[in-house]
Amino acid sequence: MLPTFEPKILAFLCNWCSYAGADLAGVSRFQYPPNVRIVRVMCSGRISPRFVLKSFQEGADGVLIAGCHPGDCHYSKGNYYTRRRLTVLGKLLEHVGLDPRRFKVKWISASEGGKFADVVKEITEDVKKLGPQNSLKRVDENE
Amino acid sequence: MKSGQEKVGAVLVVGGGIAGMQSSLDLAESGFKVYLLERSPCIGGVMAQLDKTFPTNDCAMCIMAPKLVATGRHPNIELITNSEIEKLEGEPGSFEVTLAKHPRRVSSEKCTGCGICAQECPVEAINEFNEGLLPRSAVHIDYPQAVPLTFIIDKTVCIGCGICEKMCKANAIEYDQAEEQQKIDVGSIILALGFDEFNPEIKKEYGYGIYPNVVSSIEFERLLSAIGPTGGMVLRPSDYDIPKKIAFIQCVGSRDEQCDKSYCSAVSCMYSIKEAIIAKEHTEGLDCHIFYMDIRTFGKEFEDYYNRAQEEYKIGFTRSRPASLREDPETKNVIISYVENGEPKEEEFDMVVLSVGIDAPKDAITLSERLGIDLNKHNFVSTKKFSPLSTSREGIFVCGAFSSPKDIPDTVAQASGAASKASSIISSERGKLVAKREIIPEKDVRLEGARIGVFVCHCGINIGGVVRVPEVVEYARTLPNVAYAEHNLYTCSQDTQERIKEKVKEHDLNRVIVASCTPRTHEPLFQSTTSEAGLNPYLFEMANIRDQCSWVHMHEPDSATEKAKDLVRMAVAKARLLEPLKKATLDVKRNALVIGGGISGMTAALGFADQGYKAYLIEKTSELGGKVRHLHYAVTEENPQDELFALIKKIENNENIEVFKDAELLSIEGYVGNYKTKISYENLEKEIDHGVVVVATGALEYEPTEYSYGEDRRLVTQLELEKLLAEEKINPKNVVMIQCVGSRGESVSYCSRICCTTAIKNALQIKDQHTDAKIYILYRDIRTYGFMEDYYQKAAEEGVVFVRYDVDSKPKVEITEGNLKVSVKEPNIDEELRLDPDLVVLSVAAIPDPNNEELSKSLKVPLSKDGFFLEAHMKLRPVDFATEGVFLCGSAHSPKFIDESISQAEAVVSRACTILSKDYLEAEGVISIVNSDICSGCETCILVCPFDAIDKDDKKKAKVNELLCKGCGACVAACRAGAIQQRCFTDEQILSVIRSAFQEVEV
């Protein structure tokens, strides 16, 4: 048994803004909890709802999605699709019993290293309070 | 000195700001070697200091960083930083330049940019990049994204303690580096020195440097920046308190004869509005107030930005130039004394921002003497209206703020334009000095199981000081498919690249993983190593265990080590599924179609011809020349008609240009590099094959419905007046000109940019012909930006009367008993002014051509909400469309002056040459592909694609045009059938990464 619950959170970040923001957090040495694992995609518009569902299914205690601020998308409008798609997904997840604090969609620019660190802190603290995520986790060992 | 015969296929670009970078990238991509010279230790210029950019509030660093990286690693660009020009010899086509390279004291070959030296350096010095608001160490870089990422020791503050030398694991510190000289041979030179800020200490009445809460606009920009001294918090310097009320004072060091700056800085109105908006966004309840003389929001969509600042952000605007500032010694608040509507007033603010003007660069005079070029009276480079990019010396060109104050898009357009001019004189040398690409045979790995090599980097102590690297390597060895793993002190060092290649051979590896820093900066390096090792470069994957692990968990070595293991495991899961990618290639038809035979289209066509490419110029009327045909005077001394006819003659005598008059575009098919277009002309039809398209269709003059226009022959537009003056048909005694007819909220919401200067130009012309004529110009704001301000002053001195009116009480024009009567209410004197002119001139708006809509549909390019063509990016891609291969210039983009149209037209040539000069076009590797067996033909992907890269094939299935796809993957997430996959980011790969984040995944 672990003395305290250390959640595991997956973050999907777009290459141009949010991944760069996460790098800047490093360059600026902003410290944040080591609970997040980052998956890089070229555009947040690539993030299929399936990735989020799969993450929760595999046992993620939280999922963070971040892309360029609306209007700043490197591919001009990818993040608008993200916004629409993931708003619907968020509502759906809530409907099936997932606490909305476990799923966050944020806009983080390449110069917002501090914001990235803050967002990670926030979701980690929230998820820590909520405890392990079991509502969507796969129970059957054979997929 | 060389003999004048041999030309050199290389260009020297002086200045590494956004302009220098743009020129360099264009030239390097069109087959020329570039030396990019920068006097400071890194490139980036002023734009690197900016937080956001107007009018889109784009993050400056976000949009600039890709250009920084591209410039830094382009094989055809040699960066020479911390250096200056000493001497110039030779002639156009073959210059020899002597450069003085100042010692950096850190080896650029060895420094990895890890930054340990700066952390340990005991010295605190003034940080110029953060405008002195934060200290820096003696060994430093300007900003985290700096290119080149090589530190520099500031000898003036270094105490020689030797700590950095001891700390540097790469042995990069070289205290004894000496001054060096370098001689380079180039064919032409581009000056992109930019500008310096006006020093507000000169204006003593504002107390800058005395009152701590009076700051300059560029200091304020650093306060707004998330990577600035306060991390983006707006704090006032005296007590680091959050201000509640901030004032901005415009024209500090602009439009001010007293400090010898008579010209307008052109950008300060917009940047102050931007700073006020961003400050309000950063600080709840903040009150912002702008004191101004005229608000000059003349650029594309600037007026909307100004309106939003007032309506949405409730920013206050007061038309007054404050006389002085004083400080409340107790609160350190600043009290502004000013006069409004003739009444003296005072108001207290927590903080005051001085919107400082744009000065010529400090080294302008020395440099101009060394290069033998002329400066104007303001110490900017002297240029001409019809050759805005040429200096007085042949072979030396200029762009950006160094020729006149200007904003980023105008600067970027000029930078591309200067690249076109600079390369046209050496176009015969294209491709002769550029790096040749070596072709290495690739091993076919498709039928092999994955054999992965993992290279884990210590990055000196950056990773190794936190993450237990050997433990990560041990762990990697246990993972499925990992055939080899090792750790390196610096995986990016040259000797490790060789080592990686050896290990690939020794262990028969077919996938490579590097666990180190970020793919954003280092992936290309490792990909090329992978490629040199005989593997497809896409068989490479990175795990970011520094920027996103050791640096952010510095005090948690256990958790950081576990996280590093997870990240390596996730990279292995992805690498196992990586496939070799071939980039699609396609031939290029090396000629251009230019639509529109005005000044922009003709300049572009001639530019293509000078570069050695054929241009087809189509003009819908029976004559070349466009709107300039109707211009008889320029505000400067040039004669537009002479210049125009000289240009037309050049076009008609150029065998590389084919002109079609009375022409119409019937259809256009194809994509970048390969267009097929049908046109009709003079009752004939023709099919043209071409590689690029240029939209240069100009704008139209608005036909006014207001002010009784059309009811009397003495009511004319500025263009009609110009004709009357040229024909000497009138003898006006009493002239009234009315500004903003149609513009700024009437028929169109934008400012038409050119009408203020045009009115002043024609007023001066009337004065020239009829000295005793009385002229009144009724205006809302006079927008004579840049050096055009001097003509506003001249007109005022010659007795032209400027009367301001409010938008709510417009002038009235009446025709009573055959007499013209104009009445107007000047807001400062509460009385109506009644005038009896014999001529009323309306300064009408420039409006988009209604045909734009159809053209935009055939070319599949967008229009702005105002009906002008909409470029790919308002700041950094002013003449490109998002659709590759299609470009725009001139007033089709938005209203503009002749010199601005010419600059844009030259820019188009430069941008298009990056396509036309290629032997073949290469697509992105990471693109989308359709599995047509699964595709249901629903067309969702077609709707979603931002680049119009997807079409239907003859079986009604989606088909991706590999050359247009930019690899965002939006279509993949949108596909309902799972029929589209993005290479390198397939569902299978990402799902495997997700799964491996929680457990080891077997094959």
Side-chain angles (χ1 to χ4, degrees), chain B residues 479-491:
Chain B
L479 293 170
N481 295 91
V482 173
Y484 180 76
E486 67 165 36
H487 49 91
N488 320 104
L489 183 58
Y490 288 106
T491 309

Side-chain angles (χ1 to χ4, degrees), chain A residues 54-93:
Chain A
K54 177 77 174 172
S55 303
F56 284 123
Q57 197 183 27
E58 291 293 334
D61 300 299
V63 172
L64 167 67
I65 310 267
C68 305
H69 285 267
D72 280 9
C73 177
H74 185 79
Y75 303 101
S76 79
K77 54 185 186 181
N79 51 359
Y80 291 121
Y81 301 131
T82 317
R83 183 163 67 181
R84 269 189 255 169
R85 238 173 241 149
L86 299 178
T87 306
V88 176
L89 179 69
K91 293 208 167 126
L92 183 81
L93 289 173

Side-chain angles (χ1 to χ4, degrees), chain B residues 424-441:
Chain B
S424 70
I425 60 170
I426 48 170
S427 65
S428 58
E429 307 305 300
R430 190 190 304 280
K432 293 204 178 150
L433 292 177
V434 295
K436 293 273 176 292
R437 233 198 289 183
E438 223 181 305
I439 298 164
I440 303 150

Side-chain angles (χ1 to χ4, degrees), chain B residues 275-326:
Chain B
E275 288 185 357
I277 287 178
I278 305 295
K280 281 188 79 108
E281 283 180 354
H282 285 210
T283 319
E284 221 184 305
L286 178 70
D287 188 13
C288 286
H289 208 95
I290 298 179
F291 291 87
Y292 70 99
M293 307 211 300
D294 292 279
I295 285 290
R296 296 188 165 172
T297 46
F298 53 83
K300 192 171 188 174
E301 308 205 350
F302 288 6
E303 188 74 11
D304 293 333
Y305 195 70
Y306 172 36
N307 291 338
R308 255 176 44 221
Q310 295 174 86
E311 287 151 23
E312 225 173 278
Y313 289 91
K314 310 287 176 213
I315 290 164
F317 286 84
T318 300
R319 190 186 291 267
S320 176
R321 179 177 224 164
S324 63
L325 308 184
R326 63 190 163 83

Side-chain angles (χ1 to χ4, degrees), chain B residues 647-859:
Chain B
L647 180 60
I648 293 177
K649 208 168 169 193
K650 273 192 205 164
I651 297 273
E652 291 184 335
N653 292 336
N654 196 311
E655 54 188 29
N656 256 344
I657 302 173
E658 208 171 321
V659 180
F660 300 94
K661 294 175 189 169
D662 290 316
E664 200 186 330
L665 189 83
L666 298 177
S667 70
I668 183 159
E669 271 171 38
Y671 42 85
V672 57
N674 291 274
Y675 285 101
K676 234 182 204 3
T677 297
K678 268 194 201 135
I679 60 161
S680 69
Y681 69 103
E682 293 162 359
N683 302 322
L684 297 166
E685 272 192 25
K686 189 180 166 73
E687 202 170 85
I688 299 172
D689 289 345
H690 52 105
V692 295
V693 190
V694 180
V695 176
T697 50
L700 300 178
E701 191 183 34
Y702 167 69
E703 192 172 318
T705 52
E706 45 276 86
Y707 300 119
S708 315
Y709 178 77
E711 288 173 29
D712 193 295
R713 283 174 49 210
R714 294 164 297 174
L715 272 162
V716 296
T717 66
Q718 291 286 359
L719 270 188
E720 289 165 343
L721 168 68
E722 216 163 315
K723 187 160 182 263
L724 292 172
L725 285 171
E727 290 167 354
E728 294 182 6
K729 275 191 182 154
I730 46 165
N731 185 16
K733 295 265 181 300
N734 207 328
V735 184
V736 171
M737 294 185 178
I738 302 176
Q739 299 305 107
C740 295
V741 180
S743 306
R744 296 184 67 190
E746 288 300 293
S747 295
V748 296
S749 66
Y750 55 86
C751 160
S752 294
R753 189 177 185 128
I754 55 173
C755 346
C756 283
T757 307
T758 305
I760 286 166
K761 170 188 86 172
N762 287 340
L764 286 170
Q765 190 58 40
I766 296 174
K767 279 281 182 192
D768 199 33
Q769 292 182 2
H770 314 280
T771 328
D772 53 343
K774 270 204 147 88
I775 305 169
Y776 295 86
I777 297 184
L778 316 184
Y779 72 100
R780 289 175 58 193
D781 292 279
I782 289 291
R783 294 183 167 175
T784 42
Y785 58 94
F787 301 138
M788 289 176 282
E789 178 72 8
D790 288 342
Y791 298 98
Y792 177 24
Q793 289 310 323
K794 190 177 172 206
E797 279 159 22
E798 290 195 13
V800 175
V801 182
F802 289 86
V803 182
R804 192 165 68 82
Y805 71 85
D806 258 345
V807 65
D808 309 322
S809 65
K810 293 219 177 89
K812 286 189 188 73
V813 176
E814 283 167 292
I815 310 162
T816 38
E817 293 161 13
N819 293 320
L820 290 173
K821 299 251 180 232
V822 177
S823 56
V824 59
K825 213 177 112 200
E826 215 287 339
N828 282 342
I829 38 172
D830 205 16
E831 228 173 276
E832 210 168 50
L833 191 67
R834 304 185 68 82
L835 302 164
D836 301 295
D838 49 24
L839 186 69
V840 172
V841 189
L842 304 180
S843 295
V844 299
I847 56 165
D849 191 323
N851 295 323
N852 285 356
E853 207 154 314
E854 209 186 310
L855 187 57
S856 82
K857 277 182 196 145
S858 5
L859 293 172

Side-chain angles (χ1 to χ4, degrees), chain B residues 873-924:
Chain B
H873 190 277
M874 280 223 169
K875 275 289 174 194
L876 295 188
R877 299 181 68 194
V879 301
D880 301 48
F881 281 110
T883 309
E884 227 178 315
V886 193
F887 303 91
L888 77 163
C889 58
S891 294
H893 164 281
S894 66
K896 50 182 58 67
F897 288 101
I898 291 172
D899 48 340
E900 294 166 337
S901 292
I902 291 174
S903 294
Q904 278 203 340
E906 295 286 0
V908 158
V909 174
S910 178
R911 299 294 305 136
C913 279
T914 65
I915 295 170
L916 298 177
S917 65
K918 297 266 165 33
D919 291 332
Y920 54 85
L921 290 179
E922 200 173 52
E924 304 262 335

